[in-house]
């Protein structure tokens, strides 16, 4: 091979790859309108993005998987912990993470800023991003549940409890989140029916409850299984 | 040193080294925060986010200073002429350092653009752009005046122009988060997989040529093939960042295919280095630069090539995206490809600028091996933490903190390895700043 041949390899390689890349960039701009539902990109969402950047949230949290990995991903945070859950954590990190060995700084956000932030998170959560992250995906988790039931021999309710993110807030035998109460002895306090009722509408039972209602998160079968499982914990 | 203006490089190098040390100190604070509980009062004043912004921006700053210094060293020898304006070169160094210091202090007071790795806010951004333009003008004018073109300096100039243009895509505010990330990668990925690789390849070719005495024709022929492959795989390979951000589905294919090919040019570079070392014509003086050259090629291969390859397939990346696996890859790749490249250049150029023909390399060797071994181990501990995280959080679907509790041990190990790494860095930096001629042993 001569130096001239080598030069042509360089030129053709670069130009062909750049052509693919630029064409896909052009097409991306066309498709992003529907994939990221640009029609819902309101002024409030943009204001929320500015709040998010002003306080450098992205250097601890990831969003759509990018940023720092010190704190949870925020892509589907609204679906996961609900608007009240986010509001409480942002306003009172010292209380919300009192028992956690990882801390979040007090950012002193106003209520209006938090509302903007929530609009931003809600918008991001609805972006069509090939069903990522897997732990918040409805499609994948049901397969994960089946796997757990089959391979580890746990009850279907326990699988639902683990896979639906209940343990982000609640703990069992000391494992899990510290945000909600530990549920080790939930069966002593509530019956199957009471648990089902509570999970669907926590505020209806206890107006001070922080837990987001799980109507959209659980199917009827999943609700029954998880309630039956929790009622056995005595 | 053949030309007086090559001396400029010395000031760039000595400015870069303390920043490298500070980068590692910040990294230790980050690893500490992962492992131990930092009190709320400290977190409120100096959060993880601020330390991370400093850690990553220091990385970019010291590496760019190294590249620029390297360029100022190489260009006179390649063009056989002095740098166009020494004053501009010093002015640009002062401007960059001033921006760096203001930015770092600014982060501490919450003055940030809030986009990770590109945190420098707008007014400072413009100074960076002006600094880059001065640099390109100075280097370009030197080449034009000399009118003696070689593939090495062409690649170098190409890489530097590419680097400067891509930076502009990170300056605006994007309303749409999806497009924000889309263009964010034009800076981050196209820097490290495109522009920086071009700069690396040309600096590497230059040093190899000087060290081995292999003919320019042979070295430059392979330089073309390497950078051709780098750009072929790297440009469209950006797609592996677009899997889960709301971009069209075909990016899974484009990203998967092109990034699977990304290790190729790195393998080629490794083979090429080994061959040149084997077929050298010059006698071996200063073994340490050899150690660095081969070490750089090998670690570049492991960190960027193998580690990158392992998790860019969409089926795997679905579970590892945004986990400590990325961190493992990032650390090994930056260290292997760019930190070692810069240190190799420093070890090549600093003794020449000081008129030392043969230097005592005992401390330097310790520095190299301590850093390299500690970083390799850190790559593994980050990697174990990342695999645990991917499995517990993504596959089993348990909560974030549950996964973190399993990872805590490994992040703790990383912290202690970081201390070892720091000792290696301090050894190397002291050695570079106080390098001394070799005293012949008394027979």
């Amino acid at each position: 091979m001569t130096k001239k041949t080598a030069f042509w390899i360089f030129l053709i390689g670069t130009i062909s790859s750049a052509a693919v890349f630029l064409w896909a960039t052009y097409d991306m701009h066309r498709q992003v309108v529907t994939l990221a539902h640009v029609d819902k990109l309101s002024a409030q969402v943009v204001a929320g993005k500015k709040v998010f950047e002003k306080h450098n949230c992205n250097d601890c949290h990831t969003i759509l998987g990018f940023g720092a990995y010190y704190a949870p991903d925020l892509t589907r945070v609204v679906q996961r912990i609900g608007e009240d859950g986010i509001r409480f954590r942002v306003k009172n990190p010292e209380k919300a993470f009192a028992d956690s060995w990882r801390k979040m700084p007090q950012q002193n956000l106003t209520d209006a800023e938090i509302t903007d932030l929530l609009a931003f998170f809600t918008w991001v959560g609805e972006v069509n991003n090939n069903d990522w992250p897997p732990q918040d995906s409805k499609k994948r988790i049901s397969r994960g549940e089946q796997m757990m039931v089959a391979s580890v021999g746990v009850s279907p309710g326990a699988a639902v409890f683990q896979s639906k993110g209940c343990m982000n807030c609640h703990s069992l035998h000391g494992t899990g989140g510290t945000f909600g109460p530990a549920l080790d002895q939930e069966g002593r306090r509530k019956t199957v029916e009471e648990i089902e009722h509570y999970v669907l509408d926590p505020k209806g039972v206890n107006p001070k409850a922080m837990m987001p209602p799980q109507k959209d998160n659980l199917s009827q079968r999943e609700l029954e299984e998880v309630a039956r499982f929790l009622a056995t914990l005595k | 040193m053949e030309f007086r203006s090559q001396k400029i490089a010395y000031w760039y190098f000595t400015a870069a080294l303390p920043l490298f040390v500070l980068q590692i100190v910040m990294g230790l604070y980050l690893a500490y925060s992962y492992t131990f509980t930092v009190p709320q009062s400290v977190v409120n004043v100096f959060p993880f986010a601020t330390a991370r912004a400093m850690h990553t921006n220091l990385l970019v700053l010291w590496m760019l200073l190294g590249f620029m210094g390297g360029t100022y060293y190489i260009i006179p020898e390649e063009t056989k002429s002095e740098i166009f304006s020494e004053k501009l070169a010093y002015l640009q160094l002062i401007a960059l350092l001033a921006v760096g210091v203001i930015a770092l202090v600014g982060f501490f007071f919450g003055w940030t653009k809030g986009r990770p790795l590109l945190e420098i806010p707008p007014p400072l951004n413009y100074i960076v752009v002006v600094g880059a333009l001065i640099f390109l003008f100075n280097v370009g004018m030197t080449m034009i005046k000399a009118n003696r073109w070689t593939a090495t300096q062409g690649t170098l100039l190409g890489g530097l122009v590419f680097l400067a243009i891509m930076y502009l895509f990170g300056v605006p505010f994007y309303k749409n988060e999806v497009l924000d990330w889309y263009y964010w990668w034009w800076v981050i990925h196209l820097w490290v997989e495109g522009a920086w690789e071009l700069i690396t390849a040309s600096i590497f070719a230059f040093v190899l040529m000087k060290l081995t005495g292999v003919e320019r024709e042979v070295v430059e022929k392979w330089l073309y093939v390497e950078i051709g492959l780098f750009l072929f795989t790297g440009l469209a390979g950006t797609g592996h960042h677009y899997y889960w951000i709301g971009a069209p589905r075909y990016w899974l294919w484009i990203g998967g295919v092109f990034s699977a090919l990304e290790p190729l040019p790195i393998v080629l570079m490794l083979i090429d280095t080994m061959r040149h070392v084997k077929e050298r014509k010059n006698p071996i003086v200063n073994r340490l630069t050899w150690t660095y050259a081969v070490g750089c090629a090998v670690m570049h291969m492991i960190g960027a090539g193998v580690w990158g390859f392992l998790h860019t397939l969409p089926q795997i990346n679905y579970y590892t995206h945004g986990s400590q696996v990325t961190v493992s890859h990032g650390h090994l790749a930056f260290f292997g490809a760019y930190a070692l490249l810069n240190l190799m250049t420093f070890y090549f150029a600093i003794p020449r600028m000081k008129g030392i023909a043969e230097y005592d390399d005992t401390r330097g060797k310790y520095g190299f091996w301590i850093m390299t071994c500690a970083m390799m181990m850190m790559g593994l501990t980050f990697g174990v933490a990342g695999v645990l995280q991917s499995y517990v959080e993504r596959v089993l679907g348990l909560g974030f903190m549950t996964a973190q509790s399993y990872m805590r041990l490994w992040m703790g190990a990383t912290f202690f390895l970081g201390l070892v790494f720091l000792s290696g860095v301090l050894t190397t930096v002291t050695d570079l700043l106080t390098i001394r001629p070799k005293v012949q042993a008394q027979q």
Side-chain angles (χ1 to χ4, degrees), chain B residues 242-293:
Chain B
Y242 297 159
Y243 297 159
W244 327 114
I245 65 166
R249 226 181 138 70
Y250 53 69
W251 279 111
L252 298 183
W253 279 100
I254 299 178
V257 171
F258 281 87
S259 56
L261 296 173
E262 271 177 15
L264 270 185
I266 311 179
V267 175
L268 191 64
M269 214 169 171
L270 179 62
I271 296 172
D272 192 32
T273 310
M274 297 298 193
R275 208 188 46 224
H276 286 154
V277 168
K278 221 167 114 192
E279 293 170 3
R280 62 175 177 264
K281 306 217 165 105
N282 291 353
I284 298 183
V285 228
N286 300 324
R287 276 209 90 90
L288 189 57
T289 26
W290 291 92
T291 313
Y292 265 99

Side-chain angles (χ1 to χ4, degrees), chain A residues 1 3 17 25 27 29 49 53 59 64 66 69 101-102 104 106 123 130-132 135 162 168, chain B residues 37 40 44 52 114 119 174 177 180 182-183 220-221 232 243 249-250 318 321 393 397 399 404:
Chain A
M1 187 171 59
K3 195 168 160 184
S17 185
T25 298
D27 189 64
H29 273 274
K49 185 172 186 281
E53 292 179 354
D59 254 320
L64 292 166
F66 300 129
Y69 320 99
W101 49 272
R102 188 153 304 166
M104 172 170 156
Q106 171 56 267
W123 180 83
N130 293 326
D131 205 31
W132 193 90
Q135 71 268 29
Q162 289 204 340
N168 287 331
Chain B
T37 300
Q40 183 75 38
N44 285 346
R52 185 182 190 257
E119 289 96 342
Y174 298 88
E177 183 70 29
D180 191 334
Y182 190 86
Y183 285 108
E220 292 194 339
K221 185 175 78 187
F232 177 67
Y243 297 159
R249 226 181 138 70
Y250 53 69
Y318 185 69
H321 177 61
E393 195 185 336
Q404 296 289 318

Side-chain angles (χ1 to χ4, degrees), chain A residues 101-102, chain B residues 31-32 34-36 324 377-389 392 403-418:
Chain A
W101 49 272
R102 188 153 304 166
Chain B
Y32 182 89
Y34 264 104
T35 319
F36 306 101
Q324 294 290 335
M377 293 294 289
M378 278 168 67
L380 293 175
T381 51
F382 274 131
V384 174
V387 171
L388 276 173
Q389 182 181 19
V392 176
Q404 296 289 318
S405 64
Y406 289 110
M407 293 154 63
R408 210 169 162 184
L409 169 71
W410 298 97
M411 299 311 279
T414 311
F415 174 71
F416 288 104
L417 288 168

Side-chain angles (χ1 to χ4, degrees), chain B residues 197-245:
Chain B
E197 290 282 11
L198 294 194
I199 297 167
T200 304
S202 55
I203 294 182
F204 215 80
F206 174 82
V207 173
L208 270 187
M209 235 166 354
K210 295 280 164 179
L211 282 181
T212 59
V214 173
E215 288 88 10
R216 179 176 288 276
E217 278 297 306
V218 180
V219 174
E220 292 194 339
K221 185 175 78 187
W222 287 105
L223 178 65
Y224 274 132
V225 180
E226 278 161 19
I227 59 168
L229 276 174
F230 269 128
L231 290 173
F232 177 67
T233 60
L235 289 176
T238 317
H240 65 241
H241 303 291
Y242 297 159
Y243 297 159
W244 327 114
I245 65 166

